Amino acid sequence: MTEPHQIPNLPKILFGGDYNPEQWSPSVRAEDMTLMVEAGVSLVTVGIFSWASVEPRPGAYDFGWFDQVMDDLADAGISASLATMTASPPPWLSHLHPEILPVRPDGTRLWPGSRQHYCPSSPVYRDHAGRLVEQVAARYAGHPALRIWHIGNEYGCHTRQCFCDVSAAEFRRWLRERYGEIDALNRAWSTTFWSQRYDDWAEIFPPRTTPTFANPAQRLDFARFSDDAILACYLAERDIIRGHSPDVPVTTNFTGLVHKPIDSYKWAAEQDVVSLDSYPDPYDPRAHVDAAFGYDLIRSARSGQPWLLMEQAPGAVNWRERNAPKPPETMRLWSWQAVAQGADAVMFFQWRQAVGGAEKFHSAMVPHGGADTRIHREVQALGREFAGVAELAGTRVHAEVAVLHDWDSWRAVEGDAHPGVLDLLETHRAHYAPLFDAHVTCDVVPPTVDLSGYAMVVVPNLYLMSADVAVRLTRYVEAGGCLVVSFFSGIVDECERAYLGGYPAPLRDVLGLRVDEFWPLPVDGTVQLDLAGERHSATIWSEWIETEGAQVVAAFADGELAGRPAVTRHEYGAGVAWYLGTRPEPMAMRTLLDLARADAGAGPVLPDLPAGVQAVVRSGAEHSYLFLLNHGGEPASVALPVPGVDLLGDRSRSVDAVVLAPRAVTVLRLSALQHAHHETSPGR
């Protein structure tokens, strides 16, 4: 991973949001500057949807009004995350060139009227976008307000794949580059099955709507291609930007906590700082756990480098079936959660709530009711808090446990014609949540990184596993690591071809077992487990497991597999490998992961923390900072390992214990910690 233009060390935690001045009159914009200063806003993302306003006709540019916006921001001391303005093409472009519009697998063409209505492979779209970016980059490269370049916006959010003829031609080109010869593609795609052998590249199309199951290798390659096609749009704009302002960092905002069409690990290598949009559901009492998983992943995507929370909602969103507001203090709690897990910026969508359009009921920092509203008062208070903790910027989170995630495996495991339907994010949640509840800090990393610095590695699912990854995991255990693997992992190679020799063939030696048959459970079905003499339920899956040296930790207690192994533990080399052939209920999953952590010696951030309290440590050159966040509904008392200074309270004295009200946050500066932390992120 290269870091050619790493974002400079920030002097503070940045605070702000999306600003869409094209929606407002000059008088409202003037009021915005005043309100932003009063709220402590230090960064705004500006220009995302300005294409139609700065280029109202092809080649006719009108930047005068935007010049004024940039000048006003600079005069107010507010920095700009300046967008390339290409996220939503203007109506004239699709009117003149309807061939840029994306096409679904069934041939339906998607029309303008919303946003992101372009085929990523379209040379016409890329050409017009590139011309605009040249104008924007040349005009604002030296502007005093410019702090970060924001390329595009939420790539792959709506247009994830396009199946048009232009995309088909580009797919064929991509395949030729990948495989070289048509016979190599035939082998990779197993085209002897169902008489699918190709004799000419021209015979190949995207996986459009078919009579029944499409070729799984073809679908996987098209997902890879589609990701690359969207990335090519980003790279083209980024390279133009760097040609004009090589010293200004670039980013783009990943949409959703984890987004299947876009491989965040691959994309992160092409950015200077990574950014994430996060919209937890206030109706979900465990929303903060899902958010935590996404934050750990995005932080890990660039080796632990601080990241930017580019968007969140101050209150309700507008796109769920029921859009809950955030109760008092929730917005503050969730903002601090992002900072605790490595964010150096907290931003919102958007600054001022729109009057019209599809997002007029999406909350904003300045609601329809104006500044004298609960939301805006909470925004102002949060801005003051972040202004007072500049010392947190640049510090890092370090983890002893890694959870493995892989985009190709995700795309493959959720394909058709499998023994059972698996939801990978639900699978991740089932493994990550017990670690979160045990107050264990995790990185979420690809299986290709160096794992040697982690005490424990958890594999919720790697259905698709290369031989190289299997060797990495085996050597990790052999060298003394603790590996936890769940079912239906190590089943196929990179081309969706099943490994022969008993499942999971590439991990049989390290796991000390063989799976002869998959026995997925009925929908909503359960099976009983015998774990240490106690009965527990399990769901989703079961397997006929033959041990080959592994110790049986839990057995199936009823059904056709009664008495057979369900969970095993195998000592291998200097380490140990656990295998879960079913999905234990949460209590049993917590017990098993606690046992594995005991093998690994991977402890919590703090022992004996109350339920609902999240504890995270960020460390710098001089101090460590302990974040305590109460996601529970009851007050919680926490004893500190060493005295600390409360950065959000009375800084005149140290404290050795804190009491957290529900939704409360405490940030403590510690000179030392009684438990060890790595000086650099492990596994890098």
Side-chain angles (χ1 to χ4, degrees), residues 68-79:
Q68 187 62 56
V69 170
M70 291 290 287
D71 292 345
D72 289 345
L73 290 171
D75 291 344
I78 299 168
S79 296

Side-chain angles (χ1 to χ4, degrees), residues 293 402-405 424 427-429 431-432 458-462 484-489 583:
F293 179 83
V403 177
L404 300 194
H405 173 68
L424 187 66
T427 300
H428 280 323
R429 185 182 300 116
H431 293 74
Y432 179 86
V458 179
V459 181
N461 181 272
L462 282 178
V484 179
V485 180
S486 271
F487 57 80
F488 209 49
S489 293
R583 174 68 52 73

Side-chain angles (χ1 to χ4, degrees), residues 109-150:
R109 187 173 293 277
L110 303 180
W111 294 93
S114 60
R115 65 175 190 172
Q116 218 170 83
H117 46 282
Y118 60 86
C119 165
S121 298
S122 168
V124 175
Y125 166 76
R126 291 186 186 181
D127 180 61
H128 281 272
R131 293 179 196 176
L132 174 63
V133 175
E134 283 280 2
Q135 292 284 329
V136 173
R139 192 175 192 93
Y140 299 110
H143 198 281
L146 177 63
R147 183 58 174 277
I148 302 171
W149 283 107
H150 183 108

Side-chain angles (χ1 to χ4, degrees), residues 195-320:
S195 186
Q196 292 177 353
R197 183 187 176 279
Y198 295 100
D199 191 54
D200 190 285
W201 297 102
E203 299 169 0
I204 302 172
F205 289 88
R208 294 168 175 166
T209 303
T210 57
T212 185
F213 303 127
N215 184 312
Q218 178 188 16
R219 289 181 59 173
L220 178 57
D221 267 347
F222 192 70
R224 291 166 170 152
F225 156 76
S226 298
D227 191 358
D228 284 351
I230 300 171
L231 179 60
C233 294
Y234 163 84
L235 292 174
E237 296 187 18
R238 184 207 62 183
D239 291 348
I240 293 170
I241 290 295
R242 283 187 171 167
H244 288 274
S245 51
D247 297 325
V248 179
V250 300
T251 191
T252 190
N253 50 333
F254 295 125
T255 178
L257 296 170
V258 195
H259 188 48
K260 186 158 66 169
I262 301 298
D263 184 339
S264 297
Y265 298 135
K266 180 173 66 178
W267 281 62
E270 305 294 347
Q271 301 176 52
D272 301 317
V273 58
V274 289
S275 303
L276 180 68
D277 297 350
S278 175
Y279 291 98
D281 187 352
Y283 280 144
D284 180 359
R286 299 281 284 173
H288 61 285
V289 181
D290 287 347
F293 179 83
Y295 300 161
D296 285 344
L297 186 151
I298 207 67
R299 184 189 66 247
S300 303
R302 279 193 63 85
S303 305
Q305 176 185 320
W307 53 280
L308 311 180
L309 177 59
M310 191 61 75
E311 290 185 21
Q312 63 171 333
V317 299
N318 68 304
W319 38 264
R320 294 188 175 103

Side-chain angles (χ1 to χ4, degrees), residues 624-640:
S624 292
Y625 300 89
L626 174 62
F627 294 76
L628 297 170
L629 306 100
N630 188 1
H631 298 284
E634 300 293 332
S637 298
V638 179
L640 303 181

Side-chain angles (χ1 to χ4, degrees), residues 170-474:
E170 281 297 292
F171 184 41
R172 295 181 196 110
R173 180 196 57 76
W174 185 92
L175 291 170
R176 285 195 297 270
E177 289 184 1
R178 182 175 179 87
Y179 294 106
E181 301 292 336
I182 195 78
D183 285 343
L185 176 139
N186 280 310
R187 288 191 296 272
W189 285 13
S190 303
T191 57
T192 53
F193 182 80
W194 278 358
S195 186
Q196 292 177 353
R197 183 187 176 279
Y198 295 100
D199 191 54
D200 190 285
W201 297 102
E203 299 169 0
I204 302 172
F205 289 88
R208 294 168 175 166
T209 303
T210 57
T212 185
F213 303 127
N215 184 312
Q218 178 188 16
R219 289 181 59 173
L220 178 57
D221 267 347
F222 192 70
R224 291 166 170 152
F225 156 76
S226 298
D227 191 358
D228 284 351
I230 300 171
L231 179 60
C233 294
Y234 163 84
L235 292 174
E237 296 187 18
R238 184 207 62 183
D239 291 348
I240 293 170
I241 290 295
R242 283 187 171 167
H244 288 274
S245 51
D247 297 325
V248 179
V250 300
T251 191
T252 190
N253 50 333
F254 295 125
T255 178
L257 296 170
V258 195
H259 188 48
K260 186 158 66 169
I262 301 298
D263 184 339
S264 297
Y265 298 135
K266 180 173 66 178
W267 281 62
E270 305 294 347
Q271 301 176 52
D272 301 317
V273 58
V274 289
S275 303
L276 180 68
D277 297 350
S278 175
Y279 291 98
D281 187 352
Y283 280 144
D284 180 359
R286 299 281 284 173
H288 61 285
V289 181
D290 287 347
F293 179 83
Y295 300 161
D296 285 344
L297 186 151
I298 207 67
R299 184 189 66 247
S300 303
R302 279 193 63 85
S303 305
Q305 176 185 320
W307 53 280
L308 311 180
L309 177 59
M310 191 61 75
E311 290 185 21
Q312 63 171 333
V317 299
N318 68 304
W319 38 264
R320 294 188 175 103
E321 184 176 354
R322 295 289 186 272
N323 295 299
K326 291 181 178 177
E329 301 301 321
T330 301
M331 181 260 287
R332 173 179 182 259
L333 173 66
W334 288 355
S335 297
W336 274 110
Q337 181 186 0
V339 175
Q341 294 186 241
D344 269 5
V346 171
M347 301 178 70
F348 297 88
F349 181 84
Q350 57 180 326
W351 165 251
R352 187 179 284 273
Q353 194 167 4
V355 171
E359 291 181 315
K360 59 181 173 292
F361 292 118
H362 192 294
S363 60
M365 299 167 77
V366 180
H368 287 153
D372 187 20
T373 52
R374 175 183 72 88
I375 283 181
H376 190 70
R377 287 191 291 272
E378 289 192 14
V379 164
Q380 286 184 317
L382 187 61
R384 287 192 295 269
E385 279 192 338
F386 285 135
V389 292
E391 63 192 272
L392 297 176
T395 58
R396 293 197 173 205
V397 177
H398 308 298
E400 291 184 299
V401 175
V403 177
L404 300 194
H405 173 68
D406 179 72
W407 255 265
D408 278 353
S409 187
W410 185 7
R411 294 159 178 163
V413 76
E414 293 185 353
D416 297 324
H418 287 171
V421 176
L422 295 179
D423 178 336
L424 187 66
L425 293 187
E426 184 277 331
T427 300
H428 280 323
R429 185 182 300 116
H431 293 74
Y432 179 86
L435 296 168
F436 180 92
D437 292 339
H439 316 295
V440 174
T441 301
C442 298
D443 285 343
V444 181
V445 299
T448 52
V449 302
D450 177 11
L451 301 172
S452 61
Y454 293 106
M456 186 166 88
V457 172
V458 179
V459 181
N461 181 272
L462 282 178
Y463 160 72
L464 183 151
M465 181 180 294
S466 69
D468 176 67
V469 166
V471 169
R472 286 171 175 268
L473 296 178
T474 300

Side-chain angles (χ1 to χ4, degrees), residues 43-129:
L43 181 71
V44 294
T45 300
V46 64
I48 286 177
F49 300 115
S50 297
W51 189 346
S53 297
V54 301
E55 191 182 6
R57 293 171 299 284
Y61 297 102
D62 176 15
F63 284 104
W65 67 273
F66 198 81
D67 291 345
Q68 187 62 56
V69 170
M70 291 290 287
D71 292 345
D72 289 345
L73 290 171
D75 291 344
I78 299 168
S79 296
S81 170
L82 179 54
T84 53
M85 306 188 182
T86 56
S88 189
W92 58 258
L93 182 53
S94 54
H95 174 68
L96 294 174
H97 298 282
E99 68 272 20
I100 76 162
L101 295 171
V103 174
R104 287 177 173 167
D106 65 358
T108 301
R109 187 173 293 277
L110 303 180
W111 294 93
S114 60
R115 65 175 190 172
Q116 218 170 83
H117 46 282
Y118 60 86
C119 165
S121 298
S122 168
V124 175
Y125 166 76
R126 291 186 186 181
D127 180 61
H128 281 272

Side-chain angles (χ1 to χ4, degrees), residues 572-588:
Y572 185 85
V576 61
W578 291 70
Y579 184 72
L580 282 63
T582 187
R583 174 68 52 73
E585 63 184 345
M587 183 182 300

